Amino acid sequence: MILHQPYGIDDPYKQLPTERFPRDPTPGDAVQIGFKAPPETSHAWVVLTADSEQRQVQAQAITEGYWLAQLGHLPSGRYHYRIEVQIKADKEISEDFEFEVGRWVHVTGLNRLDVWSHGVELTLDTTEGTVQHLLSFPLSGVCRSELFIGEAGRTANMTGLPCEVRHGETQIHIASAGISLTIDRTTLKMTATLPGLERTYFRGTLKGHWLKDTAGRVSHLTTSFDIRSDEWLYGLGERFTDANRLGRKWDVRVYEEYKEQAERTYIPVPLLLSNRCYGVWLQADEPSSFDLTGERCEITLDKLPAEQSSLPLYLFVGDKPYDITASFTRLTGDICIPPKWAFGPWMSANTWNSQARAKAAVTRTLAESVPATVLVIEAWSDESTFYVFNDAEYDLKPDGEAHKLNDFRFKGRWPDPKALIDYCHEHAIRVLLWQIPVLKKPDNTNAQHEIDQAYALEKGYVIRNADGSPYRNKGWWFTDALVLDFTNPEAGEWWFNKRHYLFEDLGIDGLKTDGGEHLWGRDLLAFDGRRGQELFNAYPNLYVGAYHDFVQQATEGNGLTFSRAGFTGAQRYPSHWAGDENSTWSAYKNSIRAGLSASVSGISVWGWDIAGFSGEIPTVELYLRSAAMACFCPIMQYHSELHGASENRDRSPWNIAERHDDTRALSLYRDFAQLRMKLLDYFYDEAQALSAEGLPLMRYPALEYPEAHDFLAGDPFAYLFGRDLLVAPVVEKGAATRQVHLPPNTWVDLWSGTRFDGNRIVSVPAPLERIPVFVKAESPRLESLLAMITKTPSEHRE
């Protein structure tokens, strides 16, 4: 009768009224106990016990049936509590609950220094004994700094480049290829620079602190570094806000906010990059936070309590900020480039939910001479198995066996899917189908789905709760679905066998790998032993990575995945899009911000839904400004949601034109799509060339030209595209001109050929049919780019 859920559903941002808050209190936190009691309750209280001392804390009624008890600020220790409520003459008592407030342990100084050929081991004194801190050098310009708690003797892990160490009475100097460190023996402050230079790039510390409980288990590991008043910090993955991360506390946690994401994101990456040419990466899958509200960046890693733990950080320095991105991708995986056809225009709409509608859209784009190289079909499957076309009839397969194409009798909405795919291929249009990594909650309407679920449960192919029971999604999207465990090779093999006919027999070209964000529960268990805290961020890469491998094998390297969620190393799998957004000017701006932010972490082949996919259709102006930007974006795609409106809301250019009675939506989109095809080879070559350098296609001009950082940062929506282009999207409603901050050197207007001296602001015309684009004057590709722009579509096709 009393409902109290200390951890709720473990949603990282939304607290249930029946939770404990904070869920895991730390010293200094004010603790609250929320619960629900029967409506007849007249009084309620919490009985709190610590060190055999007991006290009662009166609860206050918050809303009907819900109560809240304020326990106040509690010192370190273990606490037990129960809830008691008075119902007329009766008393109801809950089960017993407990939590612990740990104690902070701090590094206090240097105890010992051991020098090895490939690194340095420092034994540090703490308020409770000693710990080890190792410094090694995996790449030129990179230092790996790892604090080990509860475990010593890790010198065997020191691999990489050799280093030289000089001892002084007050300082320790360490030099390796591309980086020099100085450590103050007394304060343990550490500075970093490039060898031979006096300028200090980075100021940090070897000091840190962590939380320890009565059992000696460690969690909440924290360290910090200084922030200069004249610097900006970029990155932390795909973020839909202004570029500078200073002034806020940021969570690094995969999460689906669904539109208006702001600080939350599908693709967080714990990498910060400074315009002062250094970067810091936390090499951990667990959720973390970067507090940038003060003069220091405080980094906290939220690990599950364990007797042995570590805090691994990488410090980067370079000649330019994007040297850090290049080193980061060398450490976390090369940027994967999809086939050339992926760089053409894409078309998609969730209302194309039948073969007739999908073919009609393809036929229309061909008739209107609007180029397309990719068709994405989301609403194709039965929404239960996610591998069978809607309305198909077939005999049931027991024991998890896979179907082949000739097992199906197609009818209804998809009478002959192979004919549709063949039709697309005849016109050089590739086909992607939609996927999610779950077994949907049983709806008792699909017998094959019931068989599949039973088999997956029997074989242990799904993520489990701590007690071994199957985890069911607690999020709002596909609630109560089972989540496939991609750490289990047998589970993956079983899963993909069911989808193999889509490639082998039907000939599809890739999969849109949606979702992956809905793992909540710190004690979840995966087949490989990982717990929930380790899976929250890692799962999207496990899921997308498994699909990527499957698609590459099934297409002999000529397919791709198109994904929403990811984490550190997401650049290993092409490609990504920025999730779901409204059709508004603000969402358009935020999408550009997200793509540039993601690029700092090496995510290169990225896109978004032109002018947003949700709500009423965009205006012609917003649609065309977005299409112009998407023309110079790694992925150019329009897409729209499934809706219940009577009017057609798909984002095809002909529908926008017809709905607004404005033919410019079609004619100018056609021009942008045809321009995209002219530049297809160039974009693909640029992606390949930059990938070889470890760099993304889209980049901040302010980071490419750090000497002009403050000037270039004044234009937050302009970006470099490829090695040659500066793109300045028009993002203001009603604008007829665009003020462009040109980087240093000379730049050439792509459309007119006019040359401009750089490092100044120029005002250029910006009619709806044109997006301001400039080419580096010294580019060896300048003349060919100007020639491609003047070439007609028919000449290009020839």
Side-chain angles (χ1 to χ4, degrees), residues 486-539:
F486 286 100
T487 73
N488 185 337
E490 287 187 7
E493 182 179 5
W494 170 77
W495 186 264
F496 292 124
N497 279 342
K498 291 178 172 297
R499 291 151 176 79
H500 199 268
Y501 85 95
L502 298 171
F503 291 90
E504 184 178 30
D505 298 329
L506 291 179
I508 69 167
D509 305 283
L511 294 165
K512 183 173 182 177
T513 40
D514 204 349
E517 306 94 349
H518 295 98
L519 282 184
W520 297 350
R522 63 202 63 199
D523 290 325
L524 299 180
L525 284 170
F527 174 81
D528 68 355
R530 271 184 267 193
R531 305 293 294 276
Q533 201 88 335
E534 303 163 296
L535 289 168
F536 298 151
N537 291 331
Y539 185 81

Short mmCIF file of all heavy atoms in Angstrom, two decimals, residues 486-539:
data_model
loop_
_atom_site.label_atom_id
_atom_site.label_comp_id
_atom_site.label_asym_id
_atom_site.label_seq_id
_atom_site.Cartn_x
_atom_site.Cartn_y
_atom_site.Cartn_z
N PHE A 486 23.77 -7.38 -27.87
CA PHE A 486 24.73 -7.54 -28.96
C PHE A 486 26.12 -7.91 -28.45
O PHE A 486 27.04 -8.09 -29.26
CB PHE A 486 24.79 -6.27 -29.80
CG PHE A 486 23.60 -6.10 -30.70
CD1 PHE A 486 22.55 -5.26 -30.34
CD2 PHE A 486 23.50 -6.78 -31.90
CE1 PHE A 486 21.44 -5.10 -31.15
CE2 PHE A 486 22.40 -6.64 -32.72
CZ PHE A 486 21.36 -5.80 -32.34
N THR A 487 26.30 -8.04 -27.12
CA THR A 487 27.58 -8.58 -26.63
C THR A 487 27.60 -10.10 -26.73
O THR A 487 28.65 -10.71 -26.52
CB THR A 487 27.84 -8.16 -25.17
OG1 THR A 487 26.98 -8.89 -24.28
CG2 THR A 487 27.64 -6.67 -24.96
N ASN A 488 26.47 -10.70 -27.04
CA ASN A 488 26.36 -12.15 -27.19
C ASN A 488 26.45 -12.49 -28.68
O ASN A 488 25.52 -12.20 -29.45
CB ASN A 488 25.03 -12.63 -26.62
CG ASN A 488 24.90 -14.14 -26.63
OD1 ASN A 488 25.56 -14.84 -27.40
ND2 ASN A 488 24.03 -14.66 -25.78
N PRO A 489 27.53 -13.09 -29.14
CA PRO A 489 27.67 -13.38 -30.58
C PRO A 489 26.55 -14.24 -31.13
O PRO A 489 26.11 -14.04 -32.26
CB PRO A 489 29.01 -14.11 -30.65
CG PRO A 489 29.76 -13.69 -29.43
CD PRO A 489 28.72 -13.50 -28.37
N GLU A 490 26.07 -15.20 -30.34
CA GLU A 490 24.98 -16.06 -30.82
C GLU A 490 23.71 -15.25 -31.02
O GLU A 490 22.94 -15.51 -31.96
CB GLU A 490 24.73 -17.19 -29.83
CG GLU A 490 25.80 -18.27 -29.82
CD GLU A 490 25.41 -19.44 -28.95
OE1 GLU A 490 24.25 -19.47 -28.46
OE2 GLU A 490 26.25 -20.32 -28.75
N ALA A 491 23.47 -14.28 -30.14
CA ALA A 491 22.28 -13.44 -30.28
C ALA A 491 22.34 -12.65 -31.58
O ALA A 491 21.35 -12.56 -32.32
CB ALA A 491 22.16 -12.50 -29.08
N GLY A 492 23.51 -12.08 -31.87
CA GLY A 492 23.66 -11.33 -33.11
C GLY A 492 23.48 -12.20 -34.34
O GLY A 492 22.83 -11.80 -35.30
N GLU A 493 24.06 -13.38 -34.31
CA GLU A 493 23.94 -14.28 -35.45
C GLU A 493 22.47 -14.65 -35.69
O GLU A 493 22.00 -14.65 -36.83
CB GLU A 493 24.77 -15.54 -35.20
CG GLU A 493 24.75 -16.52 -36.36
CD GLU A 493 25.60 -17.76 -36.10
OE1 GLU A 493 26.13 -17.89 -34.97
OE2 GLU A 493 25.72 -18.59 -37.01
N TRP A 494 21.76 -14.97 -34.62
CA TRP A 494 20.34 -15.31 -34.73
C TRP A 494 19.54 -14.14 -35.28
O TRP A 494 18.71 -14.29 -36.18
CB TRP A 494 19.82 -15.71 -33.35
CG TRP A 494 18.34 -15.86 -33.25
CD1 TRP A 494 17.60 -16.90 -33.70
CD2 TRP A 494 17.42 -14.94 -32.63
NE1 TRP A 494 16.26 -16.70 -33.40
CE2 TRP A 494 16.12 -15.50 -32.75
CE3 TRP A 494 17.56 -13.72 -31.98
CZ2 TRP A 494 14.99 -14.87 -32.25
CZ3 TRP A 494 16.43 -13.09 -31.48
CH2 TRP A 494 15.17 -13.66 -31.62
N TRP A 495 19.81 -12.96 -34.78
CA TRP A 495 19.10 -11.74 -35.18
C TRP A 495 19.31 -11.44 -36.66
O TRP A 495 18.36 -11.17 -37.40
CB TRP A 495 19.61 -10.60 -34.30
CG TRP A 495 18.93 -9.28 -34.44
CD1 TRP A 495 19.33 -8.23 -35.22
CD2 TRP A 495 17.75 -8.84 -33.75
NE1 TRP A 495 18.48 -7.16 -35.06
CE2 TRP A 495 17.50 -7.50 -34.16
CE3 TRP A 495 16.89 -9.41 -32.82
CZ2 TRP A 495 16.43 -6.76 -33.67
CZ3 TRP A 495 15.83 -8.67 -32.34
CH2 TRP A 495 15.60 -7.36 -32.76
N PHE A 496 20.55 -11.49 -37.09
CA PHE A 496 20.85 -11.10 -38.47
C PHE A 496 20.48 -12.19 -39.48
O PHE A 496 20.21 -11.87 -40.65
CB PHE A 496 22.32 -10.72 -38.60
CG PHE A 496 22.67 -9.46 -37.85
CD1 PHE A 496 23.67 -9.44 -36.89
CD2 PHE A 496 21.97 -8.28 -38.10
CE1 PHE A 496 23.97 -8.28 -36.20
CE2 PHE A 496 22.27 -7.12 -37.40
CZ PHE A 496 23.27 -7.12 -36.45
N ASN A 497 20.46 -13.45 -39.07
CA ASN A 497 19.99 -14.49 -39.98
C ASN A 497 18.57 -14.20 -40.45
O ASN A 497 18.21 -14.49 -41.60
CB ASN A 497 20.05 -15.85 -39.29
CG ASN A 497 21.44 -16.45 -39.32
OD1 ASN A 497 22.29 -16.03 -40.11
ND2 ASN A 497 21.68 -17.43 -38.47
N LYS A 498 17.77 -13.62 -39.58
CA LYS A 498 16.38 -13.32 -39.93
C LYS A 498 16.28 -12.17 -40.94
O LYS A 498 15.26 -12.00 -41.58
CB LYS A 498 15.59 -12.99 -38.66
CG LYS A 498 15.39 -14.20 -37.75
CD LYS A 498 14.65 -13.81 -36.48
CE LYS A 498 14.29 -15.04 -35.67
NZ LYS A 498 13.36 -15.94 -36.38
N ARG A 499 17.32 -11.38 -41.03
CA ARG A 499 17.33 -10.22 -41.91
C ARG A 499 18.18 -10.43 -43.16
O ARG A 499 18.25 -9.54 -44.01
CB ARG A 499 17.82 -8.99 -41.12
CG ARG A 499 16.82 -8.54 -40.06
CD ARG A 499 17.46 -7.87 -38.87
NE ARG A 499 16.44 -7.38 -37.94
CZ ARG A 499 15.78 -8.14 -37.06
NH1 ARG A 499 16.06 -9.44 -36.97
NH2 ARG A 499 14.86 -7.62 -36.28
N HIS A 500 18.80 -11.58 -43.25
CA HIS A 500 19.72 -11.80 -44.36
C HIS A 500 19.00 -11.83 -45.69
O HIS A 500 19.55 -11.35 -46.71
CB HIS A 500 20.50 -13.10 -44.14
CG HIS A 500 21.74 -13.19 -44.96
ND1 HIS A 500 21.78 -13.77 -46.21
CD2 HIS A 500 22.99 -12.74 -44.72
CE1 HIS A 500 23.00 -13.69 -46.70
NE2 HIS A 500 23.76 -13.08 -45.83
N TYR A 501 17.77 -12.33 -45.73
CA TYR A 501 17.05 -12.41 -47.01
C TYR A 501 16.80 -11.03 -47.60
O TYR A 501 16.64 -10.88 -48.83
CB TYR A 501 15.73 -13.17 -46.84
CG TYR A 501 14.57 -12.34 -46.36
CD1 TYR A 501 13.66 -11.77 -47.25
CD2 TYR A 501 14.37 -12.10 -44.99
CE1 TYR A 501 12.59 -11.01 -46.82
CE2 TYR A 501 13.31 -11.33 -44.54
CZ TYR A 501 12.43 -10.78 -45.46
OH TYR A 501 11.37 -10.02 -45.02
N LEU A 502 16.74 -10.01 -46.74
CA LEU A 502 16.52 -8.65 -47.23
C LEU A 502 17.64 -8.22 -48.16
O LEU A 502 17.41 -7.47 -49.12
CB LEU A 502 16.41 -7.67 -46.05
CG LEU A 502 15.25 -7.91 -45.07
CD1 LEU A 502 15.39 -7.02 -43.85
CD2 LEU A 502 13.91 -7.67 -45.77
N PHE A 503 18.84 -8.69 -47.91
CA PHE A 503 19.99 -8.39 -48.77
C PHE A 503 20.16 -9.45 -49.86
O PHE A 503 20.26 -9.14 -51.05
CB PHE A 503 21.27 -8.30 -47.93
CG PHE A 503 21.32 -7.11 -47.02
CD1 PHE A 503 20.82 -7.18 -45.73
CD2 PHE A 503 21.86 -5.92 -47.46
CE1 PHE A 503 20.87 -6.08 -44.89
CE2 PHE A 503 21.92 -4.81 -46.63
CZ PHE A 503 21.41 -4.89 -45.35
N GLU A 504 20.19 -10.71 -49.43
CA GLU A 504 20.50 -11.79 -50.36
C GLU A 504 19.44 -11.96 -51.43
O GLU A 504 19.75 -12.16 -52.62
CB GLU A 504 20.69 -13.09 -49.60
CG GLU A 504 21.12 -14.27 -50.45
CD GLU A 504 21.34 -15.52 -49.63
OE1 GLU A 504 20.65 -15.69 -48.59
OE2 GLU A 504 22.20 -16.33 -50.01
N ASP A 505 18.17 -11.87 -51.03
CA ASP A 505 17.08 -12.15 -51.96
C ASP A 505 16.43 -10.89 -52.52
O ASP A 505 16.02 -10.87 -53.69
CB ASP A 505 16.01 -13.00 -51.28
CG ASP A 505 16.55 -14.36 -50.83
OD1 ASP A 505 17.46 -14.87 -51.51
OD2 ASP A 505 16.08 -14.88 -49.81
N LEU A 506 16.28 -9.86 -51.68
CA LEU A 506 15.63 -8.63 -52.14
C LEU A 506 16.62 -7.60 -52.66
O LEU A 506 16.27 -6.76 -53.48
CB LEU A 506 14.80 -8.03 -51.01
CG LEU A 506 13.55 -8.80 -50.60
CD1 LEU A 506 12.84 -8.10 -49.45
CD2 LEU A 506 12.61 -8.96 -51.78
N GLY A 507 17.85 -7.62 -52.15
CA GLY A 507 18.88 -6.73 -52.67
C GLY A 507 18.89 -5.34 -52.08
O GLY A 507 19.33 -4.39 -52.74
N ILE A 508 18.41 -5.16 -50.84
CA ILE A 508 18.48 -3.83 -50.24
C ILE A 508 19.94 -3.45 -50.03
O ILE A 508 20.85 -4.28 -50.10
CB ILE A 508 17.69 -3.74 -48.91
CG1 ILE A 508 18.37 -4.57 -47.81
CG2 ILE A 508 16.24 -4.14 -49.11
CD1 ILE A 508 17.84 -4.27 -46.43
N ASP A 509 20.17 -2.16 -49.73
CA ASP A 509 21.53 -1.62 -49.71
C ASP A 509 22.01 -1.18 -48.34
O ASP A 509 23.19 -0.83 -48.19
CB ASP A 509 21.61 -0.44 -50.68
CG ASP A 509 21.16 -0.84 -52.07
OD1 ASP A 509 21.95 -1.48 -52.79
OD2 ASP A 509 20.00 -0.52 -52.44
N GLY A 510 21.13 -1.15 -47.37
CA GLY A 510 21.55 -0.73 -46.04
C GLY A 510 20.37 -0.66 -45.11
O GLY A 510 19.22 -0.97 -45.47
N LEU A 511 20.66 -0.25 -43.86
CA LEU A 511 19.64 -0.21 -42.82
C LEU A 511 19.75 1.08 -42.03
O LEU A 511 20.85 1.52 -41.69
CB LEU A 511 19.79 -1.42 -41.89
CG LEU A 511 19.53 -2.78 -42.54
CD1 LEU A 511 20.04 -3.91 -41.66
CD2 LEU A 511 18.04 -2.97 -42.83
N LYS A 512 18.60 1.66 -41.73
CA LYS A 512 18.53 2.84 -40.87
C LYS A 512 18.41 2.34 -39.43
O LYS A 512 17.36 1.86 -39.01
CB LYS A 512 17.34 3.72 -41.24
CG LYS A 512 17.28 5.01 -40.42
CD LYS A 512 16.19 5.95 -40.93
CE LYS A 512 16.19 7.24 -40.13
NZ LYS A 512 15.19 8.23 -40.65
N THR A 513 19.50 2.42 -38.69
CA THR A 513 19.59 1.84 -37.35
C THR A 513 19.18 2.88 -36.32
O THR A 513 20.02 3.58 -35.74
CB THR A 513 21.00 1.31 -37.10
OG1 THR A 513 21.96 2.23 -37.64
CG2 THR A 513 21.21 -0.02 -37.77
N ASP A 514 17.91 2.95 -36.08
CA ASP A 514 17.32 3.95 -35.18
C ASP A 514 17.41 3.47 -33.73
O ASP A 514 17.57 2.28 -33.45
CB ASP A 514 15.85 4.15 -35.58
CG ASP A 514 15.31 5.50 -35.14
OD1 ASP A 514 15.99 6.20 -34.36
OD2 ASP A 514 14.19 5.85 -35.58
N GLY A 515 17.25 4.39 -32.81
CA GLY A 515 17.18 4.03 -31.39
C GLY A 515 18.53 3.64 -30.81
O GLY A 515 19.59 3.98 -31.32
N GLY A 516 18.46 2.91 -29.70
CA GLY A 516 19.66 2.49 -28.99
C GLY A 516 19.90 3.26 -27.71
O GLY A 516 20.90 3.05 -27.04
N GLU A 517 18.97 4.17 -27.35
CA GLU A 517 19.20 5.03 -26.19
C GLU A 517 18.51 4.57 -24.91
O GLU A 517 18.66 5.22 -23.88
CB GLU A 517 18.71 6.46 -26.49
CG GLU A 517 19.26 7.08 -27.74
CD GLU A 517 18.37 6.88 -28.97
OE1 GLU A 517 17.42 6.07 -28.88
OE2 GLU A 517 18.63 7.52 -29.99
N HIS A 518 17.77 3.49 -24.93
CA HIS A 518 16.86 3.21 -23.84
C HIS A 518 17.31 2.08 -22.92
O HIS A 518 16.60 1.10 -22.71
CB HIS A 518 15.46 2.94 -24.39
CG HIS A 518 14.85 4.14 -25.04
ND1 HIS A 518 14.89 4.32 -26.40
CD2 HIS A 518 14.24 5.23 -24.52
CE1 HIS A 518 14.30 5.47 -26.68
NE2 HIS A 518 13.90 6.04 -25.57
N LEU A 519 18.50 2.23 -22.37
CA LEU A 519 18.95 1.33 -21.31
C LEU A 519 19.00 2.13 -20.01
O LEU A 519 19.84 3.01 -19.86
CB LEU A 519 20.33 0.75 -21.63
CG LEU A 519 20.38 -0.40 -22.64
CD1 LEU A 519 21.79 -0.93 -22.77
CD2 LEU A 519 19.44 -1.53 -22.24
N TRP A 520 18.11 1.82 -19.11
CA TRP A 520 18.05 2.50 -17.81
C TRP A 520 18.09 1.44 -16.72
O TRP A 520 17.31 0.48 -16.74
CB TRP A 520 16.77 3.32 -17.68
CG TRP A 520 16.66 4.43 -18.68
CD1 TRP A 520 17.63 4.89 -19.52
CD2 TRP A 520 15.50 5.22 -18.96
NE1 TRP A 520 17.16 5.91 -20.31
CE2 TRP A 520 15.85 6.14 -19.97
CE3 TRP A 520 14.21 5.25 -18.44
CZ2 TRP A 520 14.96 7.09 -20.48
CZ3 TRP A 520 13.33 6.18 -18.94
CH2 TRP A 520 13.69 7.09 -19.95
N GLY A 521 18.96 1.63 -15.78
CA GLY A 521 19.11 0.68 -14.68
C GLY A 521 20.57 0.34 -14.49
O GLY A 521 21.15 -0.40 -15.29
N ARG A 522 21.18 0.86 -13.41
CA ARG A 522 22.63 0.73 -13.23
C ARG A 522 23.10 -0.70 -13.03
O ARG A 522 24.26 -1.01 -13.24
CB ARG A 522 23.07 1.60 -12.05
CG ARG A 522 22.46 1.18 -10.71
CD ARG A 522 22.47 2.32 -9.73
NE ARG A 522 21.62 3.39 -10.23
CZ ARG A 522 21.70 4.65 -9.80
NH1 ARG A 522 22.59 4.97 -8.91
NH2 ARG A 522 20.90 5.57 -10.27
N ASP A 523 22.19 -1.60 -12.65
CA ASP A 523 22.58 -2.97 -12.38
C ASP A 523 22.23 -3.95 -13.49
O ASP A 523 22.28 -5.16 -13.29
CB ASP A 523 21.94 -3.45 -11.07
CG ASP A 523 22.53 -2.76 -9.85
OD1 ASP A 523 23.75 -2.49 -9.89
OD2 ASP A 523 21.80 -2.50 -8.89
N LEU A 524 21.87 -3.43 -14.67
CA LEU A 524 21.59 -4.33 -15.78
C LEU A 524 22.80 -5.20 -16.08
O LEU A 524 23.94 -4.85 -15.76
CB LEU A 524 21.22 -3.52 -17.03
CG LEU A 524 19.99 -2.63 -16.95
CD1 LEU A 524 19.77 -1.91 -18.26
CD2 LEU A 524 18.76 -3.43 -16.57
N LEU A 525 22.55 -6.33 -16.72
CA LEU A 525 23.62 -7.28 -17.03
C LEU A 525 23.60 -7.63 -18.51
O LEU A 525 22.54 -7.89 -19.09
CB LEU A 525 23.44 -8.57 -16.22
CG LEU A 525 23.81 -8.52 -14.73
CD1 LEU A 525 23.35 -9.80 -14.06
CD2 LEU A 525 25.31 -8.34 -14.57
N ALA A 526 24.79 -7.65 -19.11
CA ALA A 526 24.96 -8.11 -20.48
C ALA A 526 25.71 -9.44 -20.49
O ALA A 526 26.33 -9.83 -19.50
CB ALA A 526 25.72 -7.07 -21.30
N PHE A 527 25.67 -10.12 -21.62
CA PHE A 527 26.30 -11.43 -21.76
C PHE A 527 27.79 -11.38 -21.43
O PHE A 527 28.34 -12.31 -20.83
CB PHE A 527 26.09 -11.94 -23.19
CG PHE A 527 26.81 -13.22 -23.51
CD1 PHE A 527 26.28 -14.44 -23.14
CD2 PHE A 527 28.02 -13.19 -24.21
CE1 PHE A 527 26.95 -15.62 -23.44
CE2 PHE A 527 28.68 -14.36 -24.52
CZ PHE A 527 28.15 -15.58 -24.13
N ASP A 528 28.46 -10.29 -21.81
CA ASP A 528 29.91 -10.20 -21.60
C ASP A 528 30.28 -9.71 -20.21
O ASP A 528 31.46 -9.47 -19.93
CB ASP A 528 30.57 -9.32 -22.67
CG ASP A 528 30.18 -7.85 -22.54
OD1 ASP A 528 29.33 -7.51 -21.68
OD2 ASP A 528 30.74 -7.02 -23.29
N GLY A 529 29.29 -9.59 -19.32
CA GLY A 529 29.56 -9.21 -17.94
C GLY A 529 29.42 -7.74 -17.64
O GLY A 529 29.49 -7.32 -16.48
N ARG A 530 29.25 -6.92 -18.65
CA ARG A 530 29.10 -5.50 -18.40
C ARG A 530 27.80 -5.20 -17.68
O ARG A 530 26.78 -5.85 -17.90
CB ARG A 530 29.16 -4.72 -19.72
CG ARG A 530 30.57 -4.33 -20.10
CD ARG A 530 30.61 -3.49 -21.34
NE ARG A 530 30.79 -4.31 -22.52
CZ ARG A 530 31.11 -3.82 -23.72
NH1 ARG A 530 31.26 -2.52 -23.88
NH2 ARG A 530 31.28 -4.63 -24.75
N ARG A 531 27.85 -4.19 -16.81
CA ARG A 531 26.68 -3.77 -16.04
C ARG A 531 26.04 -2.54 -16.70
O ARG A 531 26.62 -1.92 -17.59
CB ARG A 531 27.09 -3.43 -14.61
CG ARG A 531 27.84 -4.55 -13.89
CD ARG A 531 26.95 -5.76 -13.63
NE ARG A 531 25.89 -5.45 -12.69
CZ ARG A 531 26.03 -5.49 -11.36
NH1 ARG A 531 27.20 -5.85 -10.83
NH2 ARG A 531 25.02 -5.21 -10.56
N GLY A 532 24.86 -2.20 -16.20
CA GLY A 532 24.13 -1.09 -16.79
C GLY A 532 24.92 0.19 -16.89
O GLY A 532 24.89 0.88 -17.91
N GLN A 533 25.64 0.52 -15.82
CA GLN A 533 26.41 1.75 -15.82
C GLN A 533 27.45 1.77 -16.94
O GLN A 533 27.78 2.82 -17.47
CB GLN A 533 27.11 1.91 -14.46
CG GLN A 533 27.52 3.32 -14.12
CD GLN A 533 26.42 4.08 -13.42
OE1 GLN A 533 25.23 3.77 -13.58
NE2 GLN A 533 26.78 5.06 -12.63
N GLU A 534 27.94 0.61 -17.32
CA GLU A 534 28.91 0.50 -18.40
C GLU A 534 28.25 0.38 -19.77
O GLU A 534 28.92 0.51 -20.80
CB GLU A 534 29.80 -0.72 -18.18
CG GLU A 534 30.54 -0.73 -16.85
CD GLU A 534 31.07 -2.10 -16.50
OE1 GLU A 534 30.27 -3.04 -16.30
OE2 GLU A 534 32.31 -2.24 -16.42
N LEU A 535 26.95 0.12 -19.80
CA LEU A 535 26.23 -0.13 -21.05
C LEU A 535 25.48 1.09 -21.57
O LEU A 535 25.23 1.18 -22.77
CB LEU A 535 25.23 -1.27 -20.87
CG LEU A 535 25.80 -2.68 -20.72
CD1 LEU A 535 24.71 -3.64 -20.26
CD2 LEU A 535 26.39 -3.15 -22.05
N PHE A 536 25.11 2.01 -20.67
CA PHE A 536 24.26 3.12 -21.09
C PHE A 536 24.82 3.81 -22.34
O PHE A 536 24.09 4.08 -23.30
CB PHE A 536 24.14 4.17 -19.97
CG PHE A 536 23.52 3.66 -18.72
CD1 PHE A 536 23.86 4.22 -17.49
CD2 PHE A 536 22.58 2.64 -18.73
CE1 PHE A 536 23.28 3.77 -16.32
CE2 PHE A 536 22.00 2.17 -17.56
CZ PHE A 536 22.35 2.74 -16.35
N ASN A 537 26.10 4.13 -22.31
CA ASN A 537 26.72 4.83 -23.44
C ASN A 537 27.29 3.89 -24.49
O ASN A 537 27.32 4.22 -25.68
CB ASN A 537 27.85 5.73 -22.92
CG ASN A 537 27.33 6.90 -22.12
OD1 ASN A 537 26.23 7.39 -22.34
ND2 ASN A 537 28.12 7.36 -21.17
N ALA A 538 27.75 2.72 -24.06
CA ALA A 538 28.39 1.80 -25.00
C ALA A 538 27.39 1.10 -25.91
O ALA A 538 27.75 0.70 -27.03
CB ALA A 538 29.20 0.76 -24.22
N TYR A 539 26.15 0.93 -25.46
CA TYR A 539 25.21 0.09 -26.21
C TYR A 539 24.98 0.56 -27.65
O TYR A 539 24.96 -0.28 -28.58
CB TYR A 539 23.87 -0.01 -25.48
CG TYR A 539 22.92 -0.97 -26.17
CD1 TYR A 539 23.03 -2.34 -25.97
CD2 TYR A 539 21.96 -0.51 -27.05
CE1 TYR A 539 22.19 -3.23 -26.63
CE2 TYR A 539 21.11 -1.38 -27.71
CZ TYR A 539 21.24 -2.74 -27.50
OH TYR A 539 20.41 -3.61 -28.17
#
